[in-house]
Amino acid sequence: MKKLHRFVEDRKIAGVCGGLGERFEIDPVLFRVAFILLALACGLGIVLYIALWLLMPRRLTASDP
């Protein structure tokens, strides 16, 4: 089972969407679009992104455990 982490190599801001994409095997662009839509609709996307940024551990490379 893959662990949830921020992936620093595939990042635009903090690597949250790259980590989510790797964990769920979905293109990170879909997560980015979802966060943007949530941010525009009710502001929840910003709060959720920052919370995940603070809670998810960082992973520097694909070879790190």
Side-chain angles (χ1 to χ4, degrees):
M1 179 179 222
K2 293 182 181 181
K3 292 187 177 183
L4 186 60
H5 60 271
R6 291 185 295 128
F7 195 54
V8 177
E9 286 184 353
D10 183 21
R11 71 178 186 155
K12 299 296 180 200
I13 297 175
V16 172
C17 295
L20 288 170
E22 183 179 327
R23 165 65 174 89
F24 296 107
E25 298 179 358
I26 298 174
D27 190 7
V29 173
L30 296 176
F31 286 105
R32 291 179 183 119
V33 169
F35 280 117
I36 290 170
L37 290 176
L38 284 172
L40 293 175
C42 59
L44 182 64
I46 296 168
V47 174
L48 185 60
Y49 191 90
I50 291 171
L52 288 172
W53 185 356
L54 296 173
L55 295 173
M56 289 172 63
R58 188 172 76 164
R59 184 173 178 189
L60 299 176
T61 63
S63 62
D64 285 347

